[in-house]
Amino acid sequence: MDVALVVYDGVFDSGLSALLDVLDAANGMRGELPHPPPVWQVTTVGARRRVRTGAGHLVTAEPVSAAAHADLLLVPALAERRPDTLLEQIAGPALAPVRDLVAATRERGAPVASACTGTFVLAESGILDGREATTTWWLAPLFRKRFPSVTLDETRMVTTSDGVTTAGAAFGHVDLALAVVRMTSPALADLIARYLVVDERPSQSAYTIPSALAQNDPLVAAFERWVRLHLDGPIGMAEAARSLGVSERTLQRTVRRVLGTSPLRFVQDLRVEQASHLLRTTDLSLESIARKVGYEHANTLRILLRERTGNTAGSLRGR
C-alpha cells in the first residue's frame, strides 16, 4: 500500500512519529505472520521541501504531487492547543495546500485519515460534511460549533465514515495507525500492539473531564456548578432551569448544542466522575458512594462505571 504522509509547518511531532513508527513496525513484523500483508510504502509529502514541526525540528518532504496516486493519505495533527489560534491556522493560507490535497484525494476516491486537531483540517477542507467523525474530546464543543454539518462523536477513539478515518486526542495517532494496519491485517495490528504495549482504547470517555467541556458556554458552566451542588439527590431539569433563570427548553437545547449530548447524560457523567474519584481516594463502600452521587442502588452505579469508564468499581479502587 502506498501511503502519503503530509507534513506542514507546526505539525505535531509525536503524532507524526507515531504514524511513522507504527507503520515501520508493521513492515518489520509482517514476516512473523503465516500470510503477511503487503508492505506499507510511506512517502512524506509537503508543500515545501523542508518544514518545521511544532517542536522546531526540520522534516524533509517530497512534493505534494507525490501523493497523486497514493492509496491512503495520512494527516497528522497541528500542534496548537489554543482554540482561537487553531481556527485561524486551519483556515489560513499556510494550510491551503494541505486542504487542497485532502479534498483532491477524496475526490479521486482514496481514503484519508487524521487524528486530534488534524480532524479540524479535514473538516475545513469539506470532506467531513455529512459524515461521522471524532476528535480530541476537549475540543469537541469548538468543533461542533465550527462544523455543524459533521456528526461528531468525541467519545469514540477511532471512527471510519465513507472512506474517512478520524481518531481522538493527541496520542490517538497510535490508535489511528493501528486502525490503518487493522484494515489490512487484524492479526498484525494485534501483534504490534503487544510489542509496543498499547492497550485497546475504543473510547475516550474514560479520559473526559466534564467540567472542562462545560466551560465552553456560560449557561452550561452554570448548570454544571448547580448539578455538583445537588449531586446527592434527584435532579430535575425544570428545577435546574428555574434556578438558572432560563426555560427548560433553553437549557436542554444549549447543553445538546455545546456538548452534543442530553443534560441527563451529562449529569450521569458528573456522577460517574465523582464516584470514580471517591473510589480512588476513600474507603467508602460502593453503596455509600452510590448514595453520595444520587443513586439509591449500588448496582446502577456499577453498571454506569463499566459503561462510561470501561472499568469495574474494584479496578478503579485498586488504582
Side-chain angles (χ1 to χ4, degrees):
M1 176 180 287
D2 289 327
V3 178
L5 179 60
V6 61
V7 292
Y8 51 91
D9 286 338
V11 69
F12 179 53
D13 294 65
S14 294
L16 173 61
S17 298
L19 295 172
L20 289 169
D21 286 344
V22 171
L23 293 178
D24 182 65
N27 286 333
M29 295 180 193
R30 54 186 288 279
E32 298 185 27
L33 299 180
H35 304 288
V39 170
W40 282 267
Q41 184 67 46
V42 183
T43 302
T44 303
V45 304
R48 294 189 292 107
R49 179 64 178 169
R50 296 207 305 175
V51 302
R52 191 173 294 277
T53 69
H57 298 105
L58 292 176
V59 176
T60 302
E62 297 296 321
V64 169
S65 58
H69 303 290
D71 300 308
L72 169 67
L73 179 68
L74 292 178
V75 184
L78 175 67
E80 180 54 66
R81 299 178 182 86
R82 296 164 296 178
D84 291 344
T85 306
L86 172 63
L87 294 183
E88 289 176 6
Q89 292 195 31
I90 63 165
L95 284 182
V98 178
R99 297 194 301 270
D100 291 344
L101 176 60
V102 167
T105 301
R106 279 307 298 148
E107 187 174 354
R108 64 180 177 83
V112 176
S114 188
C116 192
T117 55
T119 306
F120 281 74
V121 179
L122 268 54
E124 192 70 23
S125 74
I127 71 165
L128 285 177
D129 290 350
R131 292 185 171 94
E132 297 177 356
T134 188
T135 189
T136 179
W137 65 263
W138 60 275
L139 287 173
L142 180 70
F143 186 98
R144 196 171 277 113
K145 182 178 180 180
R146 175 81 170 190
F147 307 110
S149 60
V150 181
T151 302
L152 183 70
D153 183 358
E154 69 274 19
T155 66
R156 299 284 298 276
M157 187 64 76
V158 178
T159 185
T160 298
S161 179
D162 192 24
V164 182
T165 300
T166 52
F171 290 100
H173 286 84
V174 174
D175 304 84
L176 177 66
L178 287 172
V180 167
V181 175
R182 187 169 285 111
M183 291 174 187
T184 302
S185 175
L188 182 56
D190 291 341
L191 182 64
I192 295 168
R194 295 186 68 174
Y195 270 100
L196 299 183
V197 197
V198 180
D199 293 330
E200 184 178 5
R201 302 180 296 174
S203 174
Q204 294 189 85
S205 298
Y207 307 92
T208 301
I209 303 173
S211 57
L213 295 176
Q215 300 313 306
N216 286 271
D217 181 89
L219 177 57
V220 179
F223 177 57
E224 184 239 347
R225 291 191 295 270
W226 186 90
V227 170
R228 288 191 185 277
L229 290 174
H230 300 81
L231 208 57
D232 59 350
I235 292 177
M237 291 304 106
E239 181 185 358
R242 281 195 302 272
S243 298
L244 298 174
V246 298
S247 69
E248 185 176 352
R249 183 183 181 191
T250 296
L251 179 59
Q252 295 269 3
R253 292 177 64 180
T254 304
V255 171
R256 186 167 291 281
R257 173 177 55 79
V258 174
L259 303 181
T261 190
S262 68
L264 174 61
R265 186 177 177 91
F266 182 56
V267 170
Q268 290 175 339
D269 288 342
L270 292 172
R271 285 175 161 158
V272 166
E273 179 190 55
Q274 179 64 8
S276 299
H277 172 72
L278 292 173
L279 281 166
R280 292 188 180 105
T281 59
T282 74
D283 294 324
L284 292 171
S285 67
L286 186 62
E287 289 74 16
S288 296
I289 292 174
R291 288 192 293 271
K292 282 183 175 293
V293 297
Y295 293 116
E296 183 178 351
H297 302 291
N299 196 50
T300 303
L301 177 59
R302 185 178 289 110
I303 292 170
L304 273 174
L305 285 169
R306 183 181 288 276
E307 176 188 307
R308 301 297 168 84
T309 70
N311 294 293
T312 64
S315 64
L316 288 168
R317 171 149 279 162
R319 294 180 182 181

